[in-house]
Amino acid sequence: MNGIVLYKSRYGASRQYADWIGGDLRLPVIAPERMDEKLLAACDFLLIGASVYNGELLLKDWLEENEHRLSNKKLFLFIVCAPTPDVGKHHQIILDNIPRSIWDVADIVFLPGRWILRDLSLTDSRTLEQKARTESDPVKRDALSQDNDAVKKKNIDGLLRTVRSFATPAE
Ligand SMILES: Cc1cc2nc3c(=O)[nH]c(=O)nc-3n(C[C@H](O)[C@H](O)[C@H](O)COP(=O)(O)O)c2cc1C
């Protein structure tokens, strides 16, 4: 079976997960700019990963544009989010970013991400500061005010098992 790992990342957390996944499953890892119709048509399955900023998935537009090309593929989506994921918001992220027709062909997992404050653009660091100011929970407020890195290879263990059981033919 032909598979590919497609990712979009701003500061490298989603790219790190994509590289680990591609390395372990021996699949090519590519950014959306390098994906073309021919490559997509040749895939039986795709792992698609991207991070969330202010509720929006970085690959939201790409998924909408390519929705009709994905409905006959098996998809595994990995959504990279806050280092301490807010599970209560996951359903809304799916509703807001993933076209309905994709829900039927996709396994979706959320992976904890990271932020390193000195790496952030001015806009992004101001957004985090603003979130921290309006956060009433002191633990969450502290987490927003300092570096926070939950990107670990073991986080992809379950996803790798799921993909392997799909892509490896039964004996
Ligand atoms: C400005 C900013 C806004 C963010 N907004 C959200 C959000 O709405 N929901 C969420 O779960 N994570 C949010 N995050 C966390 C990112 O998804 C996380 O840092 C992720 O690891 C970034 O991955 P990347 O480096 O691949 O882009 C935000 C991070 C920043 C810096």
Side-chain angles (χ1 to χ4, degrees), residues 8-15 50-56 58 80-83 86 90 93 112-115 120 123-125 127-128 131 151:
K8 185 152 183 176
S9 177
R10 194 175 286 174
Y11 299 105
S14 311
R15 187 177 63 235
S51 44
V52 182
Y53 287 88
N54 306 315
E56 191 166 314
L58 288 186
V80 181
C81 54
D86 190 343
H90 288 179
I93 290 173
R114 71 171 161 234
W115 48 69
L120 299 181
T123 310
D124 283 346
S125 74
T127 304
L128 278 198
K131 282 180 193 278
V151 178

Side-chain angles (χ1 to χ4, degrees), residues 81-138:
C81 54
T84 313
D86 190 343
V87 178
K89 295 196 175 143
H90 288 179
H91 188 60
Q92 196 60 47
I93 290 173
I94 293 172
L95 286 176
D96 291 345
N97 292 281
I98 301 177
R100 306 286 143 119
S101 68
I102 290 183
W103 297 359
D104 292 337
V105 290
D107 280 20
I108 304 176
V109 295
F110 285 80
L111 299 175
R114 71 171 161 234
W115 48 69
I116 306 298
L117 299 181
R118 67 175 177 280
D119 292 345
L120 299 181
S121 69
L122 195 57
T123 310
D124 283 346
S125 74
R126 284 195 175 143
T127 304
L128 278 198
E129 280 166 24
Q130 172 69 18
K131 282 180 193 278
R133 267 199 298 277
T134 54
E135 177 57 65
S136 53
D137 178 337

